[in-house]
Amino acid sequence: MTHYDLLLIGTGSGNMFLDKRFAGLKTAIAEEWHFGGTCLNVGCIPTKMFVFPATLAEQVTQADRYNLTPTHPKVDWAGLQNRIFSRIDAIESGGREYRSSDRQPNITVVPEHVHFTGQKTVRTASGEEITADRIVIAAGAHPIIPDIAGLDTARIDTDDYPVFTSNTVMRRAEQPRRLVIIGSGIVAMEFAHVFAALGTEVTVLARGARLLGNIDEEAADEFTRIFDSSHTVLHGAQSKQIDIADGGVTLTLEPSGRLAEADLPETITADGVLVATGRVPNTAELDVEAAGFDTTDGHRLSVDDYQRVLSAGQPVPGVFALGDISSPHQLKHVANHEAKIVGRNVAADVAAGSPGSARANDLAAVNHHAVPGAVFSSPQVAYVGMTEAEATEAGHDVTIKVQKFSDVAYGWAMADDPGIVKIIADRSTRRILGANIVGHEASMLIQPLIQAMAFGQKADEVATGQYWIHPALPEVVENALLGLEFDD
């Protein structure tokens, strides 16, 4: 049995806080997978490096909308992969080498899976017992695999099996000619855009009428209308059975029961299937029940405002968690924020003496107000705060404005590209409660609204108290703000 002052499980955002403040601690880092976690290796960064050229390719094929002659660009799949992953892999290996080298003499990297056997004890895959005074759990999440007849879950994401998840789809040796995507959330919509724009024949299986069903209904409806107009989506569909033969896949379909009617083919064939039905925290894999840690909805680690892990509703002295394993927001920027909070609080806990002895006044609380997100599909989607339904249910007297991109001059320049800005505000306080943008560069256009919510600025003051460049696209945000109706 080896004892450490600090044990870190996971090297995504959790690897960020481990700086010179902890140089005097004997520290272990347990990482069975890639250094850098989901975002660097299989998530945010490589997907956007695929999205950008895919969007360029899509724009080229749609050039006739702008009185230009369209062409159909050819994709150098191997070259694209090499450009992206040569950078990604170098960062991953550099991070691993740094933590493993003599430059970090107080740190031991444990390149194995670990699971809890007690509140402060873990066992490695090779059978070593590790104990620690303080533990930070940042082990992330993994793709959900639905229960489908004929699906060999043990072979998913292996080289010779044509069913895969976001963990491997970007590294497939060959770009699929025909791809079925199971799911209608963020991951599904981003990869549907990437592969369709790069020339793959993509079919999306969506169980419901709306794509991106977890965002504001009006925004989801707008996205669904636009996306359906240029992609093949089978609504109300789910896969009943998967059959693999000669390297191809045949899916037998059935109605999901979420639509009154669903006109579906009996089967659909493809070269590959991408399972994109959501992600679940890695709590079961860590056996957190053996440690007595609380979970929310049976999966997510329960933490308090200081990111301390809870057991029977009380913080476990010296045990913290961050990121997808504990956060209600599976977002990298949220995990990064939580990592900063954990770093500060672990340092305060160490300074106080025994684990759990830091005073509340010395701890920092997490801030989950005005958490934004974006979907890098076609069109882009960005959102922050409450949906209209949530704001109404919370008792707000809401005022709402929906502004079309085509209402402003830059929208005309884009040949009246579809898109909307929807802002939800409180009629009496004039505060913005939530916002949704569907359309070109939504992820950038929403930033003034995120800032307004974060700093408690009133919507009408944001609209009138600053210059808005004319005729830039942010005028659509300005006009939406001006269109809100407030009490006198």
Side-chain angles (χ1 to χ4, degrees):
M1 180 181 293
T2 307
H3 182 77
Y4 292 90
D5 300 319
L6 175 64
L7 168 64
L8 167 63
I9 304 175
T11 58
S13 293
N15 197 32
M16 294 176 56
F17 79 87
L18 204 57
D19 54 26
K20 62 183 180 181
R21 292 172 296 180
F22 308 101
L25 300 183
K26 181 182 177 182
T27 300
I29 299 177
E31 178 56 78
E32 64 174 310
W33 194 53
H34 305 301
F35 262 61
T38 297
C39 174
L40 174 66
N41 294 284
V42 300
C44 326
I45 295 175
T47 57
K48 304 317 164 287
M49 293 178 77
F50 275 92
V51 162
F52 190 81
T55 299
L56 290 179
E58 181 185 64
Q59 291 171 343
V60 169
T61 61
Q62 297 176 353
D64 57 341
R65 296 192 65 246
Y66 313 103
N67 308 107
L68 302 171
T69 301
T71 60
H72 294 274
K74 294 182 179 179
V75 181
D76 177 3
W77 180 253
L80 181 60
Q81 288 179 311
N82 182 66
R83 178 173 63 83
I84 293 170
F85 289 111
S86 61
R87 175 174 290 191
I88 297 297
D89 293 346
I91 296 171
E92 191 278 339
S93 62
R96 181 180 297 275
E97 191 277 333
Y98 174 68
R99 290 302 193 198
S100 304
S101 71
D102 293 340
R103 290 177 291 170
Q104 302 265 278
N106 65 310
I107 292 178
T108 299
V109 173
V110 181
E112 296 184 70
H113 176 73
V114 301
H115 68 274
F116 282 93
T117 57
Q119 282 195 344
K120 298 289 184 70
T121 307
V122 300
R123 181 177 291 120
T124 70
S126 61
E128 180 187 1
E129 290 257 330
I130 293 175
T131 60
D133 294 329
R134 294 174 177 84
I135 299 176
V136 175
I137 308 168
H142 64 272
I144 295 171
I145 305 300
D147 185 14
I148 302 174
L151 181 61
D152 187 345
T153 57
R155 296 182 65 193
I156 292 175
D157 284 330
T158 59
D159 290 340
D160 61 346
Y161 196 66
V163 181
F164 29 84
T165 71
S166 55
N167 283 350
T168 62
V169 65
M170 291 177 286
R171 292 185 184 257
R172 304 297 291 189
E174 301 290 337
Q175 179 185 352
R177 293 179 298 107
R178 297 170 301 167
L179 177 67
V180 173
I181 298 179
I182 301 176
S184 58
I186 294 174
V187 174
M189 292 301 95
E190 290 190 347
F191 280 117
H193 165 51
V194 165
F195 282 97
L198 295 180
T200 297
E201 182 184 316
V202 174
T203 301
V204 175
L205 303 185
R207 299 183 68 195
R210 291 189 181 92
L211 305 173
L212 301 178
N214 290 331
I215 67 172
D216 181 89
E217 288 188 3
E218 194 166 3
D221 285 342
E222 178 73 0
F223 175 84
T224 301
R225 181 185 66 80
I226 299 171
F227 191 89
D228 281 5
S229 68
S230 57
H231 298 80
T232 301
V233 181
L234 300 180
H235 289 277
Q238 63 186 23
S239 180
K240 179 181 180 180
Q241 182 169 324
I242 289 181
D243 294 295
I244 312 294
D246 300 324
V249 189
T250 299
L251 293 90
T252 301
L253 305 183
E254 65 180 358
S256 66
R258 294 189 178 183
L259 298 183
E261 295 183 5
D263 185 16
L264 305 173
E266 182 178 346
T267 62
I268 184 171
T269 60
D271 303 307
V273 174
L274 170 62
V275 178
T277 52
R279 296 176 64 84
V280 63
N282 288 324
T283 46
E285 288 71 19
L286 290 180
D287 199 8
V288 299
E289 288 186 357
F293 299 151
D294 296 343
T295 57
T296 301
D297 300 326
H299 295 293
R300 181 161 47 89
L301 269 181
S302 296
V303 295
D304 65 9
D305 290 343
Y306 307 111
Q307 296 298 131
R308 297 180 297 188
V309 172
L310 303 179
S311 177
Q314 297 300 314
V316 180
V319 181
F320 299 79
L322 64 96
D324 290 357
I325 200 161
S326 61
S327 177
H329 309 280
Q330 290 189 350
L331 297 165
K332 175 63 172 175
H333 43 277
V334 174
N336 286 351
H337 167 69
E338 293 173 353
K340 293 177 183 177
I341 297 299
V342 166
R344 175 172 170 177
N345 291 344
V346 172
D349 198 59
V350 170
S354 61
S357 61
R359 298 176 303 172
N361 289 343
D362 294 327
L363 300 177
V366 73
N367 176 11
H368 285 158
H369 173 63
V371 173
V375 187
F376 294 84
S377 184
S378 179
Q380 274 193 19
V381 179
Y383 50 89
V384 62
M386 296 181 178
T387 66
E388 179 181 349
E390 289 169 343
T392 301
E393 185 177 347
H396 292 279
D397 182 10
V398 300
T399 175
I400 295 166
K401 177 61 177 178
V402 177
Q403 195 77 44
K404 295 180 179 180
F405 278 38
S406 59
D407 291 334
V408 298
Y410 202 91
W412 308 345
M414 296 189 301
D416 296 326
D417 267 9
I420 60 169
V421 173
K422 178 178 181 178
I423 301 178
I424 305 148
D426 186 285
R427 193 179 297 272
S428 58
T429 66
R430 291 175 156 79
R431 306 288 187 190
I432 299 170
L433 302 173
N436 297 266
I437 302 181
V438 180
H440 183 68
E441 298 294 5
S443 60
M444 289 195 280
L445 287 178
I446 202 168
Q447 194 62 45
L449 302 176
I450 299 169
Q451 179 172 314
M453 292 182 66
F455 294 105
Q457 297 170 319
K458 295 180 179 179
D460 51 343
E461 293 176 355
V462 175
T464 60
Q466 62 181 316
Y467 280 108
W468 297 82
I469 295 174
H470 176 77
L473 191 54
E475 282 187 321
V476 70
V477 176
E478 176 194 19
N479 288 354
L481 288 165
L482 291 171
L484 296 167
E485 299 178 353
F486 299 112
D487 294 339
D488 294 334

